[in-house]
Amino acid sequence: MPSLQEQIQIHEQEIKAFNPASPADLENYRIRFLGAKGIVKELGGEIKNVPAEQRKEAGQLLNAFKKLAEDTYQSYKDQQQQSTNKGPAVDITLPGTPLPIGTRHPLRIVENQIVGIFEKIGFSVATGPEIEDDWHNFTSLNMPQHHPARDMQDTFYVSQNPDWVLRTHTSSTQARILETQPLPVRVICPGRVYRNETISARAHCFFHQCEGLYVDKDVSFADLKQTLYYFVTEMFGEETKVRFRPSYFPFTEPSAEMDISCTVCGGKGCNLCKHTGWVEILGCGMVHPNMLRNFNIDSEVYTGFAFGMGVERITQIKFQVNDLRLYSQNDVRFLRQFQGL
Ligand code: PHE
């Protein structure tokens, strides 16, 4: 049998831990501790068994315990009283707790803008598979086996002989369009592409492209230039300048790289344009006759232009994001900055 002092201690702990969830809880507490047959009474009755020399001290302990039991009761009673005086605990006239809504990913925002601009001038959207066969990703695009141009794009192979790859560009979708659609075609092909590159601030093993293709009678390089010029003024503003530099792509001839005047410094020189005043945004050119022939298109009658841009690159220029990895880290502090766009 524990001593009176020990019993007091145990019950004190119970009282300190007590936290009523309802008025009924508090009433049970009152009966248990303060009732006619409650613990306070019961322990009070035990004082007579305490040896005489300890009785004074035990009496004081008992008084303190009784006060704790009563005060605890009273303070919870007051609390309950107050909340009933206040009316219902919920004010139904207050606006509801807002549910956090997600934001569109910056790459998706920019992809939508790019697609929207080309849709306005009659391009339709085409998508294709991310796992491609060799024909659509390479061979039909005038990149036969062992063509050195294949090394321009480090490729992830899903299987070999026959080759299946993670597409290295969305030009594969353009190939599928030429294969299946009647001419003329005017398509924009957004989507994710893969290249076997070491991940850093400036490269990733996957990224997103928007590639365009227009094949019809009498399509000229002038059409290509005007279409792309229209695109950049819509995307970056009226005052944007463009320049074309000769380049090489196996599926276009002639080929060019297009730069725009730096949107940050306006051409004076800054970090974005590496102090040249120009930033490269896309590759383009007139569709190679070999490619048209691969799809049984008479290259004497039909001509076309194609272009391809990286969505990450356009987004980087538009929002000045200087690290590619941010796009796939899913850090909400980054993503929330694009709220409402
Ligand atoms: N497919 C090329 C690439 O991914 C881009 C491109 C498309 C260039 C069309 C010219 C014409 O690098």
Side-chain angles (χ1 to χ4, degrees):
M1 177 84 183
S3 70
L4 179 59
Q5 286 90 330
E6 281 166 347
Q7 290 187 62
I8 290 175
Q9 233 174 37
I10 291 166
H11 289 302
E12 257 178 14
Q13 277 169 12
E14 190 190 335
I15 291 176
K16 284 180 185 152
F18 173 66
N19 188 0
S22 65
D25 268 3
L26 187 57
E27 181 56 10
N28 287 339
Y29 167 94
R30 189 191 64 75
I31 295 167
R32 176 167 161 73
F33 285 98
L34 304 167
K37 292 181 185 157
I39 289 167
V40 170
K41 271 263 156 59
E42 187 193 318
L43 296 180
E46 280 181 33
I47 192 109
K48 60 182 184 302
N49 306 328
V50 175
E53 69 277 10
Q54 290 176 17
R55 210 168 280 162
K56 185 171 170 219
E57 197 200 334
Q60 285 169 349
L61 275 179
L62 201 59
N63 280 339
F65 174 68
K66 187 177 175 202
K67 189 166 165 11
L68 175 72
E70 286 171 350
D71 288 354
T72 303
Y73 175 74
Q74 202 52 52
S75 79
Y76 283 123
K77 191 77 193 163
D78 291 349
Q79 257 183 36
Q80 286 184 354
Q81 204 62 47
Q82 270 175 23
S83 57
T84 33
N85 288 347
K86 264 199 238 140
V90 179
D91 181 350
I92 55 165
T93 65
L94 285 174
T97 316
L99 290 175
I101 357 177
T103 62
R104 237 189 266 278
H105 193 279
L107 293 177
R108 189 64 80 190
I109 294 168
V110 170
E111 183 188 287
N112 286 346
Q113 287 176 354
I114 297 170
V115 166
I117 291 169
F118 284 103
E119 274 178 338
K120 274 205 273 181
I121 52 171
F123 281 74
S124 36
V125 179
T127 55
E130 291 183 15
I131 297 178
E132 261 303 359
D133 53 36
D134 175 88
W135 169 253
H136 293 101
N137 195 79
F138 292 126
T139 304
S140 69
L141 303 173
N142 200 29
M143 294 159 98
Q145 289 286 345
H146 312 301
H147 193 290
R150 288 198 181 200
D151 300 339
M152 286 164 73
Q153 303 176 348
D154 291 313
T155 309
F156 286 115
Y157 283 83
V158 175
S159 67
Q160 283 182 297
N161 281 326
D163 290 351
W164 286 87
V165 302
L166 295 183
R167 67 177 177 194
T168 56
H169 49 188
T170 60
S171 305
S172 54
T173 306
Q174 307 184 344
R176 287 176 176 277
I177 290 293
L178 288 182
E179 198 170 60
T180 55
Q181 304 292 309
L183 297 177
V185 295
R186 199 154 34 187
V187 288
I188 182 98
C189 307
R192 182 175 283 195
V193 302
Y194 302 83
R195 292 188 195 175
N196 190 358
E197 287 182 40
T198 314
I199 297 171
S200 72
R202 309 194 51 205
H204 212 308
C205 55
F206 66 84
F207 62 100
H208 299 76
Q209 284 188 326
C210 275
E211 295 208 341
L213 173 73
Y214 178 26
V215 179
D216 200 351
K217 289 175 183 153
D218 301 324
V219 177
S220 71
F221 201 88
D223 297 320
L224 163 66
K225 286 175 88 172
Q226 193 57 36
T227 303
L228 294 178
Y229 180 63
Y230 158 78
F231 164 70
V232 296
T233 52
E234 288 286 303
M235 192 73 190
F236 296 106
E238 281 295 324
E239 66 292 345
T240 317
K241 294 191 200 61
V242 296
R243 76 174 183 189
F244 290 80
R245 285 178 291 107
S247 184
Y248 171 78
F249 297 102
F251 29 84
T252 47
E253 178 60 33
S255 304
E257 218 104 36
M258 188 175 87
D259 299 340
I260 59 169
S261 50
C262 183
T263 52
V264 170
C265 63
K268 284 190 216 71
C270 69
N271 273 344
L272 176 66
C273 62
K274 300 199 200 79
H275 303 278
T276 62
W278 296 94
V279 285
E280 183 189 319
I281 66 161
L282 55 79
C284 58
M286 300 305 292
V287 179
H288 199 292
N290 285 350
M291 180 171 162
L292 293 175
R293 254 175 253 137
N294 283 339
F295 296 103
N296 301 319
I297 296 167
D298 185 347
S299 61
E300 297 296 324
V301 181
Y302 286 99
T303 49
F305 67 72
F307 55 88
M309 67 186 95
V311 180
E312 277 81 351
R313 176 76 175 143
I314 306 290
T315 311
Q316 177 200 15
I317 296 168
K318 235 184 138 62
F319 297 125
Q320 289 171 53
V321 176
N322 53 16
D323 190 329
L324 264 180
R325 290 166 294 194
L326 285 166
Y327 293 125
S328 47
Q329 278 165 342
N330 278 340
D331 186 333
V332 289
R333 291 168 302 178
F334 171 68
L335 297 174
R336 279 205 191 112
Q337 297 177 57
F338 303 91
Q339 207 146 25
L341 292 177

